[in-house]
PDB file of all heavy atoms in Angstrom:
ATOM      1  N   VAL A  38      -7.416  25.063 -14.339  1.00  0.00           N
ATOM      2  CA  VAL A  38      -6.892  23.939 -15.112  1.00  0.00           C
ATOM      3  C   VAL A  38      -7.415  22.652 -14.420  1.00  0.00           C
ATOM      4  O   VAL A  38      -6.992  22.336 -13.337  1.00  0.00           O
ATOM      5  CB  VAL A  38      -5.365  23.975 -15.136  1.00  0.00           C
ATOM      6  CG1 VAL A  38      -4.905  22.721 -16.051  1.00  0.00           C
ATOM      7  CG2 VAL A  38      -4.770  25.325 -15.682  1.00  0.00           C
ATOM      8  N   GLY A  41      -7.083  19.130 -11.559  1.00  0.00           N
ATOM      9  CA  GLY A  41      -6.340  19.393 -10.347  1.00  0.00           C
ATOM     10  C   GLY A  41      -6.767  20.582  -9.646  1.00  0.00           C
ATOM     11  O   GLY A  41      -6.680  20.679  -8.414  1.00  0.00           O
ATOM     12  N   GLU A  96      -3.693  27.012 -11.282  1.00  0.00           N
ATOM     13  CA  GLU A  96      -3.062  25.694 -11.307  1.00  0.00           C
ATOM     14  C   GLU A  96      -2.910  25.163 -10.026  1.00  0.00           C
ATOM     15  O   GLU A  96      -2.730  25.883  -8.964  1.00  0.00           O
ATOM     16  CB  GLU A  96      -1.693  25.853 -11.976  1.00  0.00           C
ATOM     17  CG  GLU A  96      -1.675  25.457 -13.364  1.00  0.00           C
ATOM     18  CD  GLU A  96      -1.678  23.890 -13.574  1.00  0.00           C
ATOM     19  OE1 GLU A  96      -2.370  23.227 -12.737  1.00  0.00           O
ATOM     20  OE2 GLU A  96      -1.112  23.334 -14.552  1.00  0.00           O
ATOM     21  N   ASP A  97      -3.019  23.860  -9.909  1.00  0.00           N
ATOM     22  CA  ASP A  97      -2.812  23.179  -8.600  1.00  0.00           C
ATOM     23  C   ASP A  97      -1.237  23.168  -8.297  1.00  0.00           C
ATOM     24  O   ASP A  97      -0.902  23.595  -7.214  1.00  0.00           O
ATOM     25  CB  ASP A  97      -3.307  21.726  -8.624  1.00  0.00           C
ATOM     26  CG  ASP A  97      -2.890  20.883  -9.807  1.00  0.00           C
ATOM     27  OD1 ASP A  97      -2.207  21.405 -10.675  1.00  0.00           O
ATOM     28  OD2 ASP A  97      -3.350  19.721  -9.850  1.00  0.00           O
TER      29      ASP A  97
HETATM   30 MG1   MG B   2      -2.874  20.319 -13.137  1.00  0.00          MG
END
Side-chain angles (χ1 to χ4, degrees):
V38 183
E96 255 288 30
D97 52 357

